[in-house]
Amino acid sequence: MLTKRPIHPDRIRKIPKQFSWIDGRLVRDGHLDGCSHPAAALYLFLITVSDTKGLSYYSDHSICKRLQMDTCLLSATRLELIRLSLIAYRKPLYQVLDLTPQEVVYPRNSPQDPMQPLGQVLQQIMEGRS
């Protein structure tokens, strides 16, 4: 019998306390913003079939058949979800990762930049732009 071990033990998925089985932070925290339709479909599939630690051994062949994808699209879609830090993959194991808060990065010297020079902040306050 094959023993399943998480790829990222520090990111084991936790079932949310809210009513829904799907974590509302996916939408609320913007985890799916800019996510392609195939990536959203694969993610939904993986959260549905994975165990309590977010682990799944579904084969590429099975996933392609169920989601009506070819292997090239599946590979690209898997990479997209990995880049979005939603899943980890080490063939043949998928892990749906715990949702971590996404870090907000502001362009330098934007009104929201927390590291603006003090003089610039004071000027904005004087102009009423806080």
Side-chain angles (χ1 to χ4, degrees):
M1 170 109 180
L2 189 60
T3 303
K4 296 189 287 185
R5 289 193 173 86
I7 299 165
H8 292 285
D10 58 324
R11 299 262 323 266
I12 292 176
R13 174 174 74 149
K14 297 163 198 72
I15 302 298
K17 293 179 183 176
Q18 75 239 20
F19 177 74
S20 173
W21 279 98
I22 298 174
D23 194 330
R25 293 179 296 169
L26 280 169
V27 174
R28 189 175 56 249
D29 293 350
H31 292 280
L32 292 180
D33 291 355
C35 189
S36 69
H37 289 109
L42 178 58
Y43 187 76
L44 177 61
F45 178 80
L46 291 172
I47 62 174
T48 303
V49 301
S50 62
D51 66 12
T52 57
K53 292 183 180 178
L55 304 175
S56 172
Y57 276 108
Y58 264 79
S59 69
D60 286 359
H61 175 75
S62 294
I63 293 171
C64 286
K65 184 176 177 183
R66 290 184 181 262
L67 297 181
Q68 301 175 357
M69 293 182 177
D70 61 35
T71 55
C72 290
L73 180 56
L74 175 60
S75 294
T77 300
R78 182 172 44 232
L79 283 174
E80 181 180 345
L81 291 175
I82 290 168
R83 284 188 198 110
L84 291 169
S85 194
L86 293 173
I87 68 167
Y89 178 73
R90 186 180 303 136
K91 190 174 183 174
L93 181 65
Y94 284 89
Q95 180 183 354
V96 176
L97 300 174
D98 184 48
L99 297 177
T100 56
Q102 294 197 343
E103 182 179 329
V104 177
V105 178
Y106 298 110
R108 279 313 246 165
N109 298 321
S110 76
Q112 295 87 9
D113 180 6
M115 300 302 291
Q116 293 181 60
L118 181 58
Q120 187 177 351
V121 172
L122 292 173
Q123 182 179 2
Q124 289 176 356
I125 291 171
M126 296 298 290
E127 293 172 358
R129 292 189 295 169
S130 63

